[in-house]
Amino acid sequence: MKAWLGRLSLRYKLTLAALAVEAVMLSFLIANGVHLTTRSLQQQAEQRVTEIAKTLGAALLAPLMQQDDASVRDIVETLQHDGGLEMIEVRDRNDRAVYQAGGGGDATDFRRVQPIELAGQRYGEVGLVLSGDFIREARARYLQQSLVIAAIALLLTGILLALSAGAVVRRFVALTRASKRMAQGDLDVKLTGDGEDEIGQLVDTFNRMAESVRFNVERAHENEARFHAIADYTHDLEFWLSPQGKLLWINPSVERMLGYSVDECVGKMNFPNDVIHLEDRTAAEFQLRQALRGTSGQGYTLRVCRKEGGHFWASVNWQPIHDYSGVYQGIRASIHSIDDLKATEANLRTAINELRTAESLQSRYLEETEQERARLVSLLSAMNLGILFVAADGRVIYHNPAFSRMWMIDPQAELIGLPVHEVLAQSASTLVQPDHFSRHLLSVLKKPDLSDNFEIQMTDGRIITELDYPVRDREGRFIGHLWIYEDVTRERQTADQLVYLAERDALTGLYNRHRFQQELARTMLETDRRQTQCAVMFFDLDEFKTINDSYGHRAGDALLIRVAGEIGALVRRDEVLARLGGDEFAILLPAVQGNEAEVLADRVLRTISQIPFHFEGHKLRLTTSLGIAYYPAHAADADDLVARADLAMYQAKDAGKNTWRVYRADNAADSEMRSRLSWGERISNALDKSLLQLHFQGVYRTEDGSLSHLEALVRMDDEHHPGQLILPALFIQQAERNSRILDIDRWVIGDVLRRLAECPAVPAIAVNLSGRSLSEPGLPQFISNALRESGINPRRLIVEITETAAVSDLLDAQRMIEALRQLGCGVCLDDFGVGFASFAYLKHLHVDTIKIDGLFIRDLPNDRDNQVFVKAMVSVALGLGKSVVAEYVEDGETLALLRRFGVDLAQGYHLDRPIADHPALRG
């Protein structure tokens, strides 16, 4: 039935529907009419039977009261025939049936029982049954007539509907066809036949709708084209997931970014889960489930894998998609590569860490800077240098207390911010040349350059130096001046004193050998220039050593001072008197004429012999031997001239002393001179050609026999006999005469320090210093520089000074020993005991070690006297806190005896022999 209806056209469907509706309505109308008619007839029948019952009751009251059954019967029969009653039954008051006519009837008949009463007295009752056939007949007639009328109405309605629905259906068919054409993509459909009726309005509405659809479709096509232009060619990867997480669309960027095609992603993959890095997949799937619930998000970072391998960091943004009605359609997401951002973040983190480190360092540096500033302020405040910072505008921005003290400015005065000339105007000091200083000040303020050292002399005798340093910032811009003031008054006095000490003999105040040689060279040049002659006089005190040893160094020093004073009074202003060392003196006479030198020699001899010298109750008589040599008559250079004056002095001694001699070139003198000159040349060649070498002998501890240190002993290679060595006894004395001993001492010290620097494991080495070097003022500085340059511990260098040299020039020896001790070097007094007053000297010579002269050690086991001397020397030395070395130990018995005496160290052939390649040098 349903299929059949589905095949019918709209016209027939409308007709059938209308007829069905009309049939249903007619059925309802007929049924209602039948119901109403039946009800009306029933009411009429009930009303009638009620009326008949009441009438009959009234008619039967009397007969019943009279119990007249015949009258009752007559009345009932009459009424039954006239009233159409089907049954009548009369009962009296005793419920006796008086009369009954007719049957009982069926259920459709109408029944009525009417009591018969009068004044409350019941006399019986009458029961009536009215037949209901008339109602059924009337209902049948009504139904028949209604059905005929309904059939006619349905027929007419069908005809009218068929006629009217045709036109309507045709217009609907046109709408249908137009709709199909639109559905097939023909958007240019337009219907005709619009009118004022509903269908006309529908056609008009359809046309407007078609136009709107055509416009919207065109806009949709344009929007779709724009969407694809944007989405398909965007740099990021864009995709659309359904609410169930199925990939609905993805742009072509997926192939560029991941290597997968669009078809692979849509059809063959569980996108995006399959492209998420395994380590990030669990968290990403949870986030995806949250997103598919309709939430939006951005900036979610994960790693995305490429098809060919590898991965990159990406940022994912997503938002839900709804249609026009608000129905949730899924999420649209984008994947953006943030590899560069991650690299930037990594660099940023690195930079932040570096920045934090730099900030930490900056804080630390700031703290250290503050501490450094505090230390600097403390340092500047503690300095003896006056510090003044002046800004570029000439105003003071800092000064330390030393500046105020130096310029005698009130320490409480506020100087910061004042112009520099106002600051200096507050000084209580008076300048010797104020105008000169003012011009200098203006000049310095005008030019931002480093100025030369400027001396400011005060009227109180002070000398202040000013040094200007320009101050510049990091970019090199000039920002002010730094003025450093130093009170050099004491330094100048000290410098003058040092110059005096460098040129003067410390004991007598006369020129020393160094200054004498300078004056001699200058005088000889002047002599050559003026074509004149000069003379050199050498003299020493006869038997001075005996006096010195007998009465002590104080007597010898007093004698030398007296001689210097007396002879100094004899020489003229242009003549030079010098003490060369010990008891040797020299006089330089420039532009000498005639016999002036001989006359002066007589006066010197006579003056010295007449010196009344008394010491501790002893009267001492002095004599001298003096030699004279002329330039250029006797020599061509300074060394020859000095050597010939020296020879002349020895010629005077050979003549009996207490006399003078002019150099005489006899055979003996020439021979000695040639010998001395030959040795001088050989020593010079040895120094120039590296013919000097060192041998080393060990110094051992007597307690356990371990090595304490080495002693360096100089040797000279014989250039005339290769392979042979010249011992120092043959050339050291000659070197001392011509001053080359100073060069030898420096060479020895330099070579020893070089060996110590090359091998830190080499023990300390002792070097022997000549007597001439004691008066050399530059030697301590030479040793200090050499120690600093080599970088060795000064304690590894031990300097040995002979007792004889120390006693002959005690002040020079004391200065040298003190200088060496300040450097940190060890000092040993060699050949101890040879002088008569050794113990007295020991108190004044602050040495670390004494070395007992071999004279007392040889044959010690068999020499009782020497044993007494050695015991005494050891006892005194140990009592003064000095260690003791014994030399010339040649047998075990001597070593055992020394050990028993308390000697600390020993050296000698029994223990070690001097060799160049000592095992200790190899570390």
Side-chain angles (χ1 to χ4, degrees):
M1 183 65 179
K2 185 177 180 180
W4 178 77
L5 288 174
R7 291 194 296 272
L8 292 177
S9 64
L10 179 62
R11 178 191 302 177
Y12 294 114
K13 290 180 180 178
L14 289 174
T15 302
L16 290 175
L19 291 176
V21 170
E22 186 176 5
V24 171
M25 295 301 296
L26 289 175
S27 298
F28 282 124
L29 289 174
I30 293 172
N32 188 51
V34 172
H35 174 70
L36 292 176
T37 301
T38 302
R39 185 175 179 183
S40 176
L41 291 175
Q42 287 176 346
Q43 291 177 350
Q44 291 177 7
E46 289 179 353
Q47 184 177 5
R48 182 181 177 190
V49 73
T50 302
E51 291 177 353
I52 292 175
K54 290 181 178 180
T55 302
L56 185 56
L60 293 178
L61 178 60
L64 287 176
M65 291 176 57
Q66 299 173 4
Q67 297 183 354
D68 185 0
D69 293 339
S71 297
V72 171
R73 187 181 301 111
D74 290 339
I75 294 172
V76 170
E77 289 178 356
T78 301
L79 184 60
Q80 181 178 12
H81 291 297
D82 294 339
L85 297 172
E86 189 170 328
M87 190 275 290
I88 296 176
E89 182 180 14
V90 178
R91 292 182 180 271
D92 59 13
R93 62 172 71 116
N94 297 321
D95 200 27
R96 178 182 66 79
V98 178
Y99 179 82
Q100 179 177 2
D106 53 21
T108 60
D109 293 339
F110 298 93
R111 301 177 185 276
R112 173 73 177 180
V113 177
Q114 179 68 35
I116 300 174
E117 299 175 341
L118 179 63
Q121 181 67 41
R122 183 177 180 277
Y123 293 100
E125 61 182 14
V126 60
L128 302 178
V129 176
L130 181 62
S131 175
D133 292 339
F134 77 94
I135 295 175
R136 285 191 293 273
E137 291 174 358
R139 186 168 57 194
R141 286 194 301 273
Y142 179 80
L143 182 61
Q144 183 179 2
Q145 292 173 0
S146 297
L147 289 175
V148 172
I149 295 171
I152 294 171
L154 288 174
L155 179 61
L156 293 175
T157 300
I159 294 172
L160 290 174
L161 286 174
L163 292 175
S164 60
V168 174
V169 168
R170 282 193 299 273
R171 298 172 76 177
F172 274 113
V173 169
L175 282 171
T176 303
R177 290 174 181 171
S179 300
K180 288 182 179 179
R181 289 174 59 189
M182 287 185 65
Q184 293 172 357
D186 186 2
L187 301 180
D188 296 327
V189 176
K190 186 174 183 181
L191 295 177
T192 59
D194 52 343
E196 298 298 328
D197 59 357
E198 289 80 359
I199 297 178
Q201 294 176 4
L202 180 62
V203 170
D204 182 61
T205 301
F206 176 83
N207 288 333
R208 289 198 302 272
M209 180 190 70
E211 182 66 25
S212 176
V213 168
R214 181 168 57 252
F215 176 74
N216 290 334
V217 168
E218 290 176 354
R219 284 182 56 190
H221 287 164
E222 293 176 357
N223 291 337
E224 183 179 7
R226 294 191 189 99
F227 169 77
H228 282 287
I230 295 173
D232 290 350
Y233 299 101
T234 185
H235 183 74
D236 294 340
L237 184 125
E238 305 276 346
F239 59 94
W240 179 8
L241 295 179
S242 70
Q244 294 76 31
K246 180 177 177 58
L247 181 65
L248 301 179
W249 169 85
I250 190 168
N251 70 344
S253 295
V254 67
E255 188 166 359
R256 173 179 54 80
M257 295 179 67
L258 303 182
Y260 295 101
S261 65
V262 173
D263 294 337
E264 285 180 309
C265 295
V266 174
K268 300 180 182 180
M269 296 176 58
N270 181 19
F271 192 90
N273 301 50
D274 290 349
V275 299
I276 299 175
H277 196 279
L278 286 176
E279 296 180 3
D280 301 336
R281 188 169 297 177
T282 302
E285 288 177 349
F286 173 79
Q287 190 66 49
L288 178 60
R289 289 193 297 271
Q290 296 295 111
L292 290 173
R293 294 178 181 176
T295 62
S296 61
Q298 62 181 1
Y300 182 77
T301 58
L302 46 71
R303 285 169 288 183
V304 179
C305 299
R306 296 186 178 91
K307 181 177 182 180
E308 71 279 3
H311 65 271
F312 62 90
W313 279 97
S315 174
V316 183
N317 303 325
W318 67 90
Q319 59 183 7
I321 302 175
H322 299 85
D323 60 12
Y324 290 108
S325 59
V327 177
Y328 175 56
Q329 300 295 318
I331 60 171
R332 175 176 176 174
S334 63
I335 297 178
H336 173 67
S337 174
I338 58 171
D339 262 355
D340 294 339
L341 180 61
K342 283 291 184 179
T344 303
E345 288 179 352
N347 293 335
L348 183 59
R349 283 193 296 270
T350 303
I352 290 175
N353 291 334
E354 292 177 352
L355 184 60
R356 287 174 179 168
T357 303
E359 185 178 3
S360 175
L361 289 175
Q362 184 180 12
S363 299
R364 192 181 75 189
Y365 290 155
L366 182 60
E367 181 180 357
E368 292 177 355
T369 301
E370 289 297 326
Q371 296 175 357
E372 189 65 26
R373 179 182 175 276
R375 287 193 291 267
L376 181 59
V377 170
S378 299
L379 174 63
L380 292 177
S381 299
M383 289 177 63
N384 291 324
L385 296 177
I387 304 297
L388 185 68
F389 283 100
V390 181
D393 60 356
R395 296 184 178 272
V396 172
I397 58 177
Y398 175 81
H399 67 92
N400 68 342
F403 170 79
S404 299
R405 291 194 305 268
M406 200 172 296
W407 283 91
M408 296 183 181
I409 298 175
D410 184 4
Q412 305 302 323
E414 184 59 43
L415 305 181
I416 305 302
L418 296 179
V420 65
H421 63 274
E422 292 185 13
V423 171
L424 296 177
Q426 299 186 34
S427 172
S429 298
T430 304
L431 280 66
V432 175
Q433 295 178 307
D435 294 338
H436 182 52
F437 176 69
S438 298
R439 288 193 298 271
H440 165 74
L441 188 63
L442 291 175
S443 173
V444 168
L445 289 174
K446 287 181 180 179
K447 57 180 182 179
D449 298 323
L450 178 66
S451 67
D452 295 331
N453 199 18
F454 182 78
E455 287 192 0
I456 306 169
Q457 292 186 348
M458 303 295 183
T459 55
D460 57 6
R462 291 182 299 129
I463 300 176
I464 296 176
T465 60
E466 178 193 272
L467 189 60
D468 173 43
Y469 288 94
V471 181
R472 303 184 185 275
D473 61 13
R474 187 175 299 177
E475 284 74 27
R477 294 188 297 267
F478 174 75
I479 60 175
H481 298 269
L482 167 62
W483 288 345
I484 300 177
Y485 294 94
E486 183 179 7
D487 188 343
V488 297
T489 306
R490 182 174 298 177
E491 284 75 6
R492 288 295 173 86
Q493 293 172 351
T494 303
D496 294 341
Q497 183 67 23
L498 289 175
V499 171
Y500 179 85
L501 292 175
E503 297 179 343
R504 299 281 179 168
D505 176 57
L507 179 64
T508 62
L510 301 177
Y511 283 147
N512 58 15
R513 181 184 293 271
H514 177 70
R515 179 60 184 272
F516 177 78
Q517 289 175 338
Q518 291 180 339
E519 292 295 326
L520 176 59
R522 183 185 61 79
T523 300
M524 292 177 68
L525 289 175
E526 187 70 15
T527 299
D528 292 338
R529 188 175 66 83
R530 294 185 177 184
Q531 295 296 312
T532 59
Q533 69 173 350
C534 65
V536 171
M537 302 171 59
F538 261 44
F539 64 93
D540 65 6
L541 302 180
D542 298 329
E543 305 301 333
F544 176 77
K545 188 175 185 303
T546 301
I547 297 173
N548 206 27
D549 291 341
S550 301
Y551 299 101
H553 74 279
R554 288 194 300 114
D557 290 347
L559 182 59
L560 294 174
I561 294 172
R562 183 65 180 273
V563 169
E566 294 293 339
I567 303 304
L570 301 179
V571 298
R572 294 178 293 188
R573 181 175 298 179
D574 61 340
E575 297 172 345
V576 176
L577 172 62
R579 180 188 174 208
L580 303 183
D583 62 333
E584 291 184 348
F585 294 86
I587 300 175
L588 174 61
L589 291 83
V592 66
Q593 296 179 356
N595 62 346
E596 289 180 349
E598 287 83 349
V599 173
L600 180 59
D602 282 332
R603 296 174 63 192
V604 169
L605 290 176
R606 187 169 53 255
T607 299
I608 292 177
S609 64
Q610 293 176 356
I611 292 177
F613 188 76
H614 300 272
F615 185 78
E616 296 181 353
H618 299 279
K619 182 178 180 180
L620 304 178
R621 181 179 179 275
L622 301 179
T623 60
T624 183
S625 299
L626 187 147
I628 304 172
Y630 289 96
Y631 174 82
H634 296 150
D637 55 38
D639 289 340
D640 287 352
L641 183 61
V642 170
R644 283 170 168 78
D646 190 31
L647 281 176
M649 181 184 69
Y650 280 97
Q651 290 174 353
K653 287 183 179 294
D654 293 340
K657 301 180 181 179
N658 194 25
T659 186
W660 57 266
R661 288 288 184 271
V662 177
Y663 169 72
R664 183 180 69 256
D666 56 12
N667 292 333
D670 286 344
S671 176
E672 183 179 357
M673 186 68 185
R674 284 193 298 270
S675 174
R676 292 179 61 184
L677 293 177
S678 174
W679 273 113
E681 183 179 357
R682 293 177 70 178
I683 293 171
S684 298
N685 289 337
L687 289 169
D688 296 338
K689 299 178 181 180
S690 300
L691 298 178
L692 296 179
Q693 61 174 271
L694 293 180
H695 284 209
F696 298 88
Q697 184 178 26
V699 180
Y700 295 86
R701 298 178 181 88
T702 58
E703 182 180 357
D704 56 8
S706 61
L707 180 66
S708 171
H709 61 274
L710 300 174
E711 181 179 4
L713 303 171
V714 66
R715 304 287 188 265
M716 181 190 296
D717 288 329
D718 191 343
E719 61 179 332
H720 302 298
H721 302 88
Q724 294 185 11
L725 295 178
I726 302 175
L727 297 178
L730 298 177
F731 64 86
I732 289 298
Q733 186 176 6
Q734 300 296 335
E736 288 180 340
R737 285 183 175 275
N738 59 21
S739 301
R740 297 313 301 269
I741 190 63
L742 301 178
D743 298 324
I744 294 176
D745 284 347
R746 294 195 178 207
W747 179 87
V748 170
I749 293 171
D751 192 67
V752 165
L753 293 179
R754 177 185 60 80
R755 293 172 183 267
L756 290 173
E758 289 176 352
C759 184
V762 172
I765 299 178
V767 297
N768 290 281
L769 203 62
S770 68
R772 291 289 297 276
S773 292
L774 295 181
S775 60
E776 177 63 24
L779 186 61
Q781 187 62 42
F782 169 79
I783 297 176
S784 176
N785 295 338
L787 286 170
R788 184 175 61 255
E789 293 172 1
S790 60
I792 68 171
N793 189 340
R795 294 187 177 276
R796 298 178 66 198
L797 178 66
I798 301 172
V799 178
E800 294 190 359
I801 301 173
T802 63
E803 180 189 5
T804 303
V807 170
S808 64
D809 202 340
L810 189 62
L811 292 179
D812 287 339
Q814 288 176 329
R815 284 198 302 270
M816 180 62 68
I817 291 171
E818 183 61 28
L820 293 173
R821 288 174 60 86
Q822 289 183 0
L823 290 177
C825 300
V827 182
C828 176
L829 188 61
D830 197 5
D831 298 338
F832 184 74
V834 296
F836 293 104
S838 297
F839 293 141
Y841 297 141
L842 191 59
K843 185 174 67 173
H844 301 282
L845 299 174
H846 302 294
V847 297
D848 304 297
T849 307
I850 65 167
K851 180 181 287 188
I852 300 175
D853 190 77
L855 174 68
F856 300 98
I857 305 302
R858 290 191 183 96
D859 199 27
L860 183 63
N862 302 317
D863 193 328
R864 296 288 181 178
D865 294 336
N866 282 346
Q867 292 180 18
V868 174
F869 287 133
V870 171
K871 287 180 181 180
M873 285 186 279
V874 172
S875 177
V876 171
L878 296 180
L880 294 175
K882 307 179 189 304
S883 59
V884 180
V885 181
E887 61 182 353
Y888 290 96
V889 178
E890 298 179 351
D891 53 62
E893 188 178 0
T894 301
L895 180 61
L897 196 58
L898 292 171
R899 185 184 300 117
R900 184 156 55 87
F901 289 167
V903 174
D904 303 290
L905 306 171
Q907 72 179 114
Y909 285 176
H910 175 67
L911 299 170
D912 203 351
R913 288 182 177 271
I915 56 174
D917 187 18
H918 197 281
L921 296 175
R922 297 190 289 270

